[in-house]
Amino acid sequence: MMEKLRSLELHFADLEARLGAAETYADPALVARLNKEQRELEPVVSAYRAYTRRRQDMSDAQALMGDPDMKELAQEEFQQAKADLERLEEAIKILLLPRDPNDEKNVIVEIRAGVGGEEAALFAHSLFRMYSMYADARRWKVEVDSVNETELGGVKEICFTVEGGGAWSRLKFESGVHRVQRVPETESGGRIHTSTVTVAVLPQVDEVDFQLDPADIEMQVFRSSGAGGQHVNKTSSAVRLIHKPTGTVVECQQERSQFQNRDKAMQLLRSRLYEEKVREQEDAVTAQRRSQVGTGMRNERIRTYNFPQGRMTDHRINLTLYKLENVMNGDLDEIIDGLVTADQAQRLRETEG
């Protein structure tokens, strides 16, 4: 591991030198590529440099232990340096794990009401609000691509794009079944109902990442409509795309232009088919095991939101928080940090096993 770290440090120094060279700035594309590579290497190189400093500190402290006047201070420094080295070594192992190539991508999120009728639709809207508030706190941009609303303010399904650096790295664990337990406003007897909503999170895939054959796609146009069947506009601007080989169907109706809706629908179709291809590849490689966090299966119950108790439980990492109101207002970092940590620990076990 140390040899690899030394190699990375030398490469990092080479990047710094190339970025400092005047001739480099004549090529903006090269500057952007070198800056990106430098940003990706910086955390592991910084951790390695801290590790080498503390290893030298530990060696210096050990040398001073023979001096009676310095022995106590030297022993204290030695133990502290040793503890720091153990912590830094674990951090470096995590930083050296293979990066998810999609981590910096934007995401497409699909939320669908499941079991529970109108109550499920209302909770689907609540989840959309939760993710929107989380995105806003991180200065990400949210754009609704398509929505099927109910007359009581819920959504049967909604598809939206989240644009921002690292969106996939933070939201990729949200795929699965979200269960809600609460008393509906229409329930006169105060009985708690259990409803479900499914969430699918897809990396937004560019054409260069995944190409589609136009001959495989059938396009249909129709009028956009809102709750109660009322038309949003009187032209056929909404677009439905059908991928004939797989039967995958996507729709987009939020934009006024048919061409804009088609472009967004193509992005969604490309992302769905890319996700399916990646899943097939992963299944072939990991048929005997699945990561503790990150299966991404849409039929896997991942989380329960219990309103009477103000409790949220993520079943994959056995995390329970009694601050449901904060969670529903977009305070998701504690949950997502726990999922990221669990995923890293699982991947470490796999590499060491």
Side-chain angles (χ1 to χ4, degrees):
M1 183 174 77
M2 289 301 130
E3 185 177 340
K4 180 177 182 179
L5 288 166
R6 282 191 290 271
S7 175
L8 289 175
E9 185 183 32
L10 288 172
H11 183 54
F12 186 82
D14 179 60
L15 289 172
E16 288 182 315
R18 292 178 69 186
L19 282 167
E23 59 269 20
T24 300
Y25 283 86
D27 187 346
L30 175 62
V31 172
R33 182 174 62 80
L34 294 178
N35 271 321
K36 181 175 182 292
E37 194 173 354
Q38 186 187 46
R39 285 196 305 272
E40 290 175 352
L41 279 178
E42 197 274 334
V44 68
V45 171
S46 293
Y48 171 62
R49 287 173 174 172
Y51 182 89
T52 55
R53 285 195 300 270
R54 293 308 277 158
R55 188 167 59 180
Q56 184 61 50
D57 291 341
M58 190 168 75
S59 177
D60 293 344
Q62 191 171 24
L64 287 172
M65 286 184 191
D67 184 339
D69 295 330
M70 300 293 295
K71 183 176 181 181
E72 187 175 343
L73 283 174
Q75 284 180 332
E76 185 178 336
E77 173 61 16
F78 180 87
Q79 293 301 324
Q80 183 60 57
K82 183 180 178 182
D84 289 344
L85 284 176
E86 291 173 356
R87 176 181 55 80
L88 286 165
E89 188 172 349
E90 288 304 307
I92 289 169
K93 286 180 181 178
I94 290 172
L95 289 168
L96 287 176
L97 286 171
R99 283 174 52 84
D100 184 334
N102 293 321
D103 270 353
E104 292 304 309
K105 289 187 182 293
N106 301 330
V107 299
I108 296 172
V109 184
E110 300 172 313
I111 301 176
R112 288 184 171 83
V115 176
E118 186 63 42
E119 172 63 9
L122 289 169
F123 188 61
H125 182 273
S126 296
L127 286 184
F128 168 65
R129 176 181 177 273
M130 177 183 79
Y131 291 128
S132 296
M133 294 182 76
Y134 180 68
D136 185 60
R138 298 186 76 87
R139 300 179 183 274
W140 293 339
K141 181 181 177 182
V142 173
E143 282 193 2
V144 175
D145 300 321
S146 64
V147 60
N148 184 355
E149 300 172 301
T150 67
E151 294 183 358
L152 296 182
V155 293
K156 293 179 182 177
E157 58 185 61
I158 184 169
C159 175
F160 58 98
T161 302
V162 181
E163 298 178 0
W168 172 256
S169 70
R170 300 297 290 173
L171 294 176
K172 61 185 174 182
F173 301 116
E174 294 301 300
S175 291
V177 176
H178 295 241
R179 183 176 67 171
V180 60
Q181 295 172 323
R182 63 182 177 186
V183 180
E185 293 180 8
T186 54
E187 172 60 56
S188 58
R191 186 168 59 92
I192 297 174
H193 287 228
T194 298
S195 305
T196 61
V197 170
T198 60
V199 174
V201 183
L202 318 173
Q204 189 180 55
V205 180
D206 298 324
E207 192 170 351
V208 294
D209 298 320
F210 189 87
Q211 294 189 346
L212 291 170
D213 185 345
D216 290 338
I217 302 169
E218 176 186 342
M219 186 175 93
Q220 300 174 352
V221 295
F222 59 99
R223 293 182 180 180
S224 302
S225 60
Q230 295 180 347
H231 293 302
V232 173
N233 57 49
K234 296 181 180 180
T235 60
S236 297
S237 61
V239 171
R240 179 183 297 115
L241 298 181
I242 303 170
H243 187 246
K244 290 181 281 189
T246 62
T248 303
V249 179
V250 300
E251 294 180 358
C252 186
Q253 58 176 308
Q254 293 306 110
E255 303 296 334
R256 292 183 178 274
S257 159
Q258 183 184 116
F259 296 105
Q260 289 176 315
N261 281 325
R262 181 187 179 278
D263 287 345
K264 285 201 168 187
M266 283 293 290
Q267 276 191 333
L268 175 55
L269 180 60
R270 198 179 292 117
S271 293
R272 279 199 193 169
L273 295 175
Y274 172 82
E275 179 206 33
E276 188 58 36
K277 181 180 178 181
V278 170
R279 191 184 304 285
E280 288 174 0
Q281 292 171 344
E282 289 177 346
D283 286 347
V285 174
T286 62
Q288 301 303 315
R289 59 169 170 78
R290 279 209 178 268
S291 171
Q292 175 185 355
V293 176
T295 70
M297 296 299 289
R298 300 188 191 193
N299 61 352
E300 175 193 13
R301 190 189 73 189
I302 63 168
R303 199 173 292 157
T304 295
Y305 305 78
N306 185 299
F307 278 77
Q309 298 179 16
R311 167 174 57 84
M312 187 291 311
T313 299
D314 194 292
H315 305 289
R316 296 163 295 178
I317 53 175
N318 296 318
L319 173 67
T320 296
L321 301 176
Y322 287 90
K323 54 175 187 178
L324 184 55
E325 183 178 353
N326 291 352
V327 169
M328 298 309 298
N329 284 329
D331 185 4
L332 300 177
D333 276 332
E334 186 172 355
I335 305 166
I336 292 174
D337 287 344
L339 292 164
V340 169
T341 300
D343 179 61
Q344 290 171 341
Q346 176 70 15
R347 290 193 291 140
L348 269 178
R349 287 193 292 270
E350 290 171 2
T351 57
E352 294 173 351

